[in-house]
Amino acid sequence: DLGMAVGLLLKTNQFEVKGLNLEELGFIGELSLNGKLRSCSGVLSMIMEAKKRGIKTVIIPKKNVIEASLIDDIDIIGIEDLQNVINFLMGEKAEIITEAPKKEEKIIKHNLDFSEVKGQTELIKYIQIAVAGGHNILMVGSPGCGKSMIAKRIPTILPKMSREEALEVTKVYSVLNTNSFENLVEERPFRAPHHNASTNSLVGGGRSATPGEISLAHNGVLFLDEIPQFNKKTLDSLRQPMEDGYVTISRVDQTNKYPSGFMLVAAMNPCPCGYYGQDRCRCTDYEIVKYRQKVSGPIMDRIDIQKYVHAINFLDEFDEEDTVSSKELRDKVEEVRDIQKERYKDDEGINSNAQMNEKLIKKYCELDEECKEIMKKAYEKYKFSARSYNKYLKVARTFADFEGHINIEKEDLLNALSARDLEKEENNMLII
């Protein structure tokens, strides 16, 4: 509205611009009937685009100044109404804001900690590997064994975001939210939609083609608890965004492209009754496979790590030495992420091992003859797909980084091959 109003006033010679170059000016804002400037959504994205197009100064509503000030090297002018905009353009006295008020630095505090998780040492190691490399992970276990408990503690070990990553996340929330931000979104998102979520709410859509949960989880975690309970069509809609790292939403009047570089964390029961492997379970192999097929093969293929969460006897006593704190886990995750940042510093859009393309896999996941022989035997036994083959190599690369190995070694590869419990188990099931 503001840009059109100023253009009409200039075209009808109702005022003249003095001391400013119109070619370098941008206008953002909605106009109310009394001439007040109302805040609008997506300001962050618009200003970043304006900057790319050579705009030096942007005039915006006062309420959007804090959000807009997150962008460097462009002048932001916050104005309350149309009259003050005209006064400013004419070089007369006007009420404007040129600097956003400083906000206190936000300190992120977590009430949860991995030290509260007992008896899951191996699983926690794989959780740490998944977070360090940005790999998707599925936890399988009986009801009450601690799947959700562990998932809720994953945010406590997520690595810090770079400024570029934080700006990407803030842009998504800026498009969705009409209220201005007081700070950059610095904490990695953790989204946990309920299993009755619609396709539009998960992927994005609606009349205005707004971002969905997968975009709101960009550079963070999307947690799908009880994943077989999600609508199969809805789950399958995740296939392309998981592979490409973005989603395109088309409507009659517009097409929007949103980032979706999230880490998928999912949880499910091993069988319909939930007690597979225990005496109380009476499920047949057919019923178990049919239940697991609610999550389609292509989605399972895109999950790098599939691990069982074993039930423990909560009456047993555990030593403090058997537990590890979130701080210890996060410090190691940060260390492994730093290795990856250095490795991919010349590769735009690549921040973690999970994002490697074919070219980078060939470059950084080279195997020696012994490892090639191991992979050959594994393929002959399990007949996994080319995508799964690459997943194994990516996870092995993260294990190598974790252990400080320059190249993937035998131990790293064996750990990666032990990461997909569900696939190996189903190979041994008898289906009639």
Side-chain angles (χ1 to χ4, degrees), residues 170-236:
T170 308
K171 278 170 62 179
V172 175
Y173 282 78
S174 171
V175 170
L176 187 68
N177 199 330
T178 55
N179 298 319
S180 59
F181 291 89
E182 294 189 351
N183 287 300
L184 196 67
V185 178
E186 295 179 336
E187 185 176 4
R188 288 188 183 270
F190 182 85
R191 307 291 298 189
H194 190 264
H195 58 72
N196 70 349
S198 66
T199 302
N200 280 358
S201 67
L202 203 62
V203 177
R207 189 179 63 183
S208 302
T210 52
E213 291 290 338
I214 62 171
S215 296
L216 296 174
H218 180 60
N219 285 331
V221 171
L222 178 69
F223 175 47
L224 301 183
D225 199 6
E226 303 298 341
I227 189 171
Q229 302 301 323
F230 281 79
N231 182 282
K232 192 168 184 178
K233 182 181 176 183
T234 300
L235 279 182
D236 284 341

Side-chain angles (χ1 to χ4, degrees), residues 116-133:
E116 298 158 352
V117 181
K118 314 291 184 183
Q120 300 289 357
T121 306
E122 184 187 0
L123 175 64
I124 291 175
K125 176 69 178 289
Y126 277 93
I127 292 282
Q128 194 178 17
I129 288 293
V131 173

Side-chain angles (χ1 to χ4, degrees), residues 163-325:
R163 182 171 176 81
E164 291 74 20
E165 288 177 315
L167 274 173
E168 285 180 2
V169 175
T170 308
K171 278 170 62 179
V172 175
Y173 282 78
S174 171
V175 170
L176 187 68
N177 199 330
T178 55
N179 298 319
S180 59
F181 291 89
E182 294 189 351
N183 287 300
L184 196 67
V185 178
E186 295 179 336
E187 185 176 4
R188 288 188 183 270
F190 182 85
R191 307 291 298 189
H194 190 264
H195 58 72
N196 70 349
S198 66
T199 302
N200 280 358
S201 67
L202 203 62
V203 177
R207 189 179 63 183
S208 302
T210 52
E213 291 290 338
I214 62 171
S215 296
L216 296 174
H218 180 60
N219 285 331
V221 171
L222 178 69
F223 175 47
L224 301 183
D225 199 6
E226 303 298 341
I227 189 171
Q229 302 301 323
F230 281 79
N231 182 282
K232 192 168 184 178
K233 182 181 176 183
T234 300
L235 279 182
D236 284 341
S237 67
L238 298 180
R239 288 158 59 174
Q240 177 266 324
M242 287 173 69
E243 196 69 23
D244 299 336
Y246 65 86
V247 60
T248 303
I249 304 168
S250 299
R251 293 294 180 266
V252 174
D253 56 345
Q254 61 183 313
T255 298
N256 295 342
K257 182 178 177 180
Y258 297 116
S260 61
F262 58 89
M263 170 188 165
L264 176 66
V265 177
M268 65 179 285
N269 293 330
C271 65
C273 75
Y275 298 101
Y276 177 72
Q278 300 180 35
D279 292 339
R280 68 175 105 176
C281 179
R282 295 291 182 271
C283 301
T284 65
D285 285 356
Y286 173 77
E287 290 171 330
I288 294 169
V289 171
K290 187 177 180 181
Y291 170 75
R292 293 179 183 179
Q293 282 176 345
K294 290 182 179 180
V295 184
S296 66
I299 291 293
M300 280 293 192
D301 213 29
R302 286 168 170 81
I303 297 177
D304 311 32
I305 299 172
Q306 306 162 3
K307 294 300 290 182
Y308 266 104
V309 185
H310 298 289
I312 61 168
N313 188 347
F314 60 89
L315 296 177
D316 291 343
E317 292 186 5
F318 293 91
D319 296 331
E320 289 297 323
E321 297 176 359
D322 296 332
T323 62
V324 60
S325 69

